[in-house]
Amino acid sequence: MLIENLKLFLRIVEKGGLAAAGREVGLSPATVTDRLAALEAHYGARLLTRTTRSISLTDEGRELVTGARRILAETEETEARIRLGVEKISGTIHLSAPSDLGRNQIVPLLDRFMTMNPEVAIDLSLSDSYVDLVGRGLDLAIRYGELSDSTMKASRLGENRRLVCAAPAYLELNGTPLHPVELAHHNCLVMRFGSNTDQDWSFVIDGEKRTCRVRGNRIADDGDLIRQWCLNGHGVAFKSEWDIRDDLETGRLVELLEDFTPEPSALQMVYPAGTVQPRRVRALMEFLSKKFVR
């Protein structure tokens, strides 16, 4: 029963409430409450702080999320090895990726991986915003940039270079900026990450890393939409090279300010530290590391 209560606890955290978790698994609110109380009694600690509108994890609850994921992963893998044999990989992999990179690079690789492993299911979240892996119950995330969260581990996929680009039609009408400061006179397509807008673009000017503030009449939290706006000639974008590589090769987009482009950052697979990754997740990570086009 402890294993089932741990599963229910993680479902409560993932769904953000007891009632929503109960509906997901077909349990009444009273039953969910009783089973949560039994789990808290088992560990001798309050796991959730509840209000009429929301729940939040206590310190003990956050610790249990990590521990429960590890316990359930080990249990599931043991059952899979016994029932299906050591050569088979099965179960659901929950992962997150940036929208452009996910659609254009990750999804085709996932399709190939699932063809090779037909008993694997994929639950993919495409988002350019920060995603809480533990809170969302994710096994893995593909992220740009260096890892700063000590509760996470990372495995490097490659390097990521961000560059300024625009469509030839836009440049014909508005001219080509030759220095980052000239972006102040151009319509720049701005990404929003959560509540923050990416209006300070980084460059290397006179050997030093500097930022230039940009503005424009189009802001979005979806990198694929920024790319489409750029392709349609609506403005200048600051995009990952992974997202527009084909557009640059075909001439649909033109790289700008190449002499001022900053050093590449990392493209990484990120996962919670202290957890035992199921065999299917380890297999996917190994597959992506080998197949990802650098």
Side-chain angles (χ1 to χ4, degrees):
M1 191 63 179
L2 177 60
I3 294 296
E4 294 304 315
N5 284 346
L6 289 175
K7 290 180 181 179
L8 180 59
F9 173 67
L10 292 181
R11 188 65 59 89
I12 292 170
V13 174
E14 179 183 345
K15 295 299 178 181
L18 277 68
R23 287 193 297 270
E24 184 84 6
V25 297
L27 296 176
S28 69
T31 300
V32 175
T33 300
D34 289 344
R35 287 178 58 175
L36 176 61
L39 195 62
E40 291 179 329
H42 176 82
Y43 288 107
R46 180 174 291 278
L47 303 175
L48 296 173
T49 299
R50 284 171 278 172
T51 67
T52 55
R53 294 187 177 181
S54 64
I55 63 169
S56 60
L57 287 165
T58 63
D59 290 342
E60 292 80 6
R62 185 168 290 277
E63 184 72 22
L64 183 59
V65 167
T66 301
R69 284 173 57 83
R70 180 174 64 251
I71 292 169
L72 294 177
E74 291 172 344
T75 301
E76 186 176 326
E77 181 164 358
T78 298
E79 290 181 354
R81 289 171 65 88
I82 293 172
R83 292 179 180 178
L84 303 174
V86 296
E87 298 302 320
K88 288 189 176 181
I89 298 173
S90 64
T92 301
I93 302 174
H94 303 265
L95 72 155
S96 170
S99 60
D100 259 14
L101 185 76
R103 290 187 181 94
N104 299 322
Q105 298 280 348
I106 302 299
V107 167
L109 293 177
L110 293 178
D111 290 340
R112 292 170 60 185
F113 181 78
M114 294 176 73
T115 298
M116 296 166 55
N117 302 279
E119 294 184 42
V120 167
I122 296 292
D123 186 339
L124 175 63
S125 173
L126 295 179
S127 174
D128 289 306
S129 299
Y130 172 82
V131 177
D132 181 357
L133 270 68
V134 174
R136 290 278 303 276
L138 297 173
D139 300 302
L140 183 68
I142 311 299
R143 288 183 177 171
Y144 293 121
E146 300 297 335
L147 182 64
S148 59
D149 188 343
S150 61
T151 66
M152 296 290 146
K153 288 187 176 181
S155 176
R156 196 180 185 92
L157 276 176
E159 292 187 336
N160 171 56
R161 188 170 69 98
R162 289 190 75 193
L163 54 90
V164 179
C165 59
Y170 174 87
L171 299 175
E172 289 176 11
L173 290 175
N174 300 279
T176 301
L178 302 177
H179 191 280
V181 297
E182 296 179 23
L183 291 174
H185 306 295
H186 285 266
N187 192 54
C188 294
L189 307 171
V190 177
M191 271 291 297
R192 183 174 64 250
F193 299 98
S195 60
N196 299 317
T197 54
D198 183 30
Q199 291 183 266
D200 294 312
W201 294 1
S202 296
F203 299 95
V204 177
I205 302 174
D206 297 329
E208 296 182 2
K209 188 174 182 179
R210 301 182 186 177
T211 60
C212 294
R213 172 141 295 218
V214 301
R215 293 177 175 81
N217 62 3
R218 294 171 188 255
I219 301 174
D221 63 356
D222 187 313
D224 188 50
L225 179 55
I226 295 289
R227 172 175 167 267
Q228 291 299 325
W229 281 343
C230 193
L231 286 169
N232 292 334
H234 293 304
V236 178
F238 198 29
K239 291 289 297 175
S240 164
E241 185 178 21
W242 290 102
D243 298 337
I244 59 170
R245 179 174 293 173
D246 291 342
D247 300 322
L248 294 173
E249 291 178 354
T250 59
R252 292 190 297 265
L253 292 177
V254 177
E255 181 177 358
L256 309 174
L257 306 174
E258 187 172 356
D259 293 338
F260 302 94
T261 301
E263 290 297 314
S265 60
L267 174 64
Q268 305 189 99
M269 295 180 289
V270 178
Y271 53 97
T275 63
V276 177
Q277 293 284 26
R279 186 166 182 260
R280 59 181 177 274
V281 178
R282 298 198 303 270
L284 176 61
M285 293 176 64
E286 182 179 354
F287 176 82
L288 292 177
S289 295
K290 291 180 177 179
K291 300 298 183 181
F292 208 83
V293 180
R294 287 172 169 78

